[in-house]
Amino acid sequence: MFKFAFAAGMVIEWLFGPAVESIAGFGFASLRTLTAGLLAWMVLEAAHLLVRAVMTLDDRA
């Protein structure tokens, strides 16, 4: 799941991030990409956990 979250972080930065105009701007863009990726990873893991929890429920009426 980390690879999908990493890709999502890069896409979010590419779509919403400003253009990098300096070395410091590149560093801040990298940090924004990292945090967006980590946030996407947490969301994916929470969704995976929720699906696994629902699958453990008894389906008898």
Side-chain angles (χ1 to χ4, degrees), residues 9-59:
M10 287 189 292
V11 167
I12 289 170
E13 180 61 30
W14 182 61
L15 290 175
F16 300 115
V20 176
E21 298 176 358
S22 67
I23 297 296
F26 181 73
F28 289 128
S30 298
L31 286 175
R32 283 191 305 269
T33 302
L34 177 66
T35 55
L38 291 176
L39 178 63
W41 191 16
M42 288 190 299
V43 168
L44 287 172
E45 288 293 335
H48 184 245
L49 179 65
L50 182 63
V51 168
R52 286 180 49 192
V54 167
M55 294 303 285
T56 63
L57 296 174
D58 191 12
D59 59 352

